[in-house]
Amino acid sequence: MTDPEDLAERVREGDLRIHELEEHADYDTAAHARRLLIERETGTELEAIGDYAFPAEEADPNIENMIGAAQVPMGVVGPVPVAGGAADGEHYLPLATTEGALLASVNRGLGVIREAGGADARVTKNGMTRAPVFRVAGVAEAAETVAWVEDNLEALRAAAESTTSHGELLDIEPYVVGDSVYLRFAYDTKDAMGMNMATIATGEACELVESETPASLVALSGNLCSDKKPAAINAVEGRGRSVTADALIPGELVEERLHTTADAIAEANTRKNLIGSAKAGSLGFNAHAANVVGAAFLATGQDEAQVVEAANTITTMDAREREDGTTDLYASVSLASLEVGTVGGGTKLPTQAEALEILGLRGGGDPPGSNADALAEIIAVGALAGELSLLGALSSRHLASAHEDLGR
């Protein structure tokens, strides 16, 4: 067996490069050698980082130059009561975070939703996008290119789908800006989040566009996709899965469990999430949806950078008066671009795979796409619970005391 001490010394002497270690040893030994190197170079003890619970080889598709693992505390909330298009019944939702009080707050909201009879949730739109940008001589060539694309959608679909056994091309939306032509491809990627699938498929289709039109490909991604950046196009058109969850909370339950009223929560939502967000120029109109989305992404192996757009949420809270004069609370969240999958990427790592097992959603669904739809619906209900709890705390003025108790 190769000695990690020897490998580390060879890297220090310049005989080996740090990314070449797997060529000379197994993956765990290579990771050990890198830790030794970093310890000596920085004077830092890496005992916790090196204490990981899975073979390093299993992470090879997910990371380069591995030295160990980041261990983020993981808990569960729930059960999450959801009647969805794909999810049904009660599910425990794993969340990984370092923010004290978060899971307690979400659990409080879920308790209220559960007592109210549960939440409904639906994926309303599905389409992973990739938008290449082409160069043309001017607007005449741009119009020619767009016309060809619109007339040859089936040929482009055949080219794109030749690269995948699962993905389906749904649509191509053209955008022209001067001598630039952007084509926003949208795919049904089934149970995969599908970014790589969409990229490879779009690359194949772009070759056909170049061969049949005056357009010349400049970049396979022209940022109209738009991936890992806050973008209005994702808020309006959606990306990945667009999902909405809602619940009707009886007024007496709001008072008993949240110690406030439906009217007070509705007003707090309007002044904070709607007017305040508009004044700030925010793309999201919510209290803290990113908290639940980000924690669920870390726990279940999603691409954490996509929280930027995946947490783009509009929260609504309306006071609804019953015939007997009691006021109930209608609560909803609409997440425009929740990019999730249950196969591929980080979902294959042992910790994240176990978290998906907790949900009963590991791997591909039957029918294809149903597991990822269910994951999106459950996360949306979790986000709804988080919004309900935080707005209740704000309108009852309990936020600071909760953080003092749980988030020190």
Side-chain angles (χ1 to χ4, degrees), residues 202-245:
T202 300
E204 188 72 18
C206 285
E207 293 185 12
L208 184 58
V209 173
E210 282 195 297
S211 68
E212 298 294 333
T213 74
S216 177
L217 181 66
V218 175
L220 192 52
S221 173
N223 273 12
L224 260 172
C225 312
S226 176
D227 188 39
K228 301 175 184 177
K229 291 163 283 290
I233 195 167
N234 289 343
V236 176
E237 296 295 335
R239 186 170 194 260
R241 283 165 167 82
S242 300
V243 57
T244 292

Side-chain angles (χ1 to χ4, degrees), residues 166-386:
H166 301 291
E168 297 179 14
L169 178 62
L170 301 174
D171 192 23
I172 305 173
E173 186 71 25
Y175 297 84
V176 175
V177 182
D179 60 357
S180 296
V181 176
Y182 300 82
L183 301 176
R184 194 171 190 257
F185 289 70
Y187 297 87
D188 180 355
T189 56
K190 308 305 179 184
D191 285 302
M193 181 271 283
M195 190 67 268
N196 290 339
M197 184 190 301
T199 298
I200 294 168
T202 300
E204 188 72 18
C206 285
E207 293 185 12
L208 184 58
V209 173
E210 282 195 297
S211 68
E212 298 294 333
T213 74
S216 177
L217 181 66
V218 175
L220 192 52
S221 173
N223 273 12
L224 260 172
C225 312
S226 176
D227 188 39
K228 301 175 184 177
K229 291 163 283 290
I233 195 167
N234 289 343
V236 176
E237 296 295 335
R239 186 170 194 260
R241 283 165 167 82
S242 300
V243 57
T244 292
D246 66 4
L248 186 64
I249 314 297
E252 56 270 22
L253 191 58
V254 174
E255 296 180 12
E256 176 188 340
R257 294 293 301 276
L258 298 177
H259 311 293
T260 183
T261 66
D263 285 311
I265 289 181
E267 180 182 11
N269 186 71
T270 298
R271 295 185 186 276
K272 170 185 167 62
N273 288 342
L274 304 184
I275 300 173
S277 296
K279 179 63 175 176
S282 175
L283 285 177
F285 291 72
N286 62 85
H288 69 148
N291 255 331
V292 174
V293 172
F297 271 33
L298 286 175
T300 62
Q302 311 305 315
D303 189 332
E304 66 273 15
Q306 289 179 328
V307 173
V308 172
E309 64 264 33
N312 193 323
T313 301
I314 296 177
T315 298
T316 67
M317 299 279 173
D318 293 325
R320 294 185 176 179
E321 187 172 342
R322 298 201 306 243
E323 290 184 1
D324 63 2
T326 304
T327 302
D328 298 333
L329 179 69
Y330 172 79
S332 81
V333 290
S334 295
L335 291 75
S337 46
L338 188 63
E339 296 133 327
V340 294
T342 59
V343 299
T347 68
K348 297 184 294 184
L349 290 168
T351 300
Q352 289 73 16
E354 287 181 7
L356 287 169
E357 289 276 13
I358 291 172
L359 285 156
L361 298 175
R362 181 181 179 184
D366 184 17
S370 59
N371 274 3
D373 281 350
L375 179 59
E377 291 171 353
I378 294 167
I379 291 173
V381 176
L384 176 62

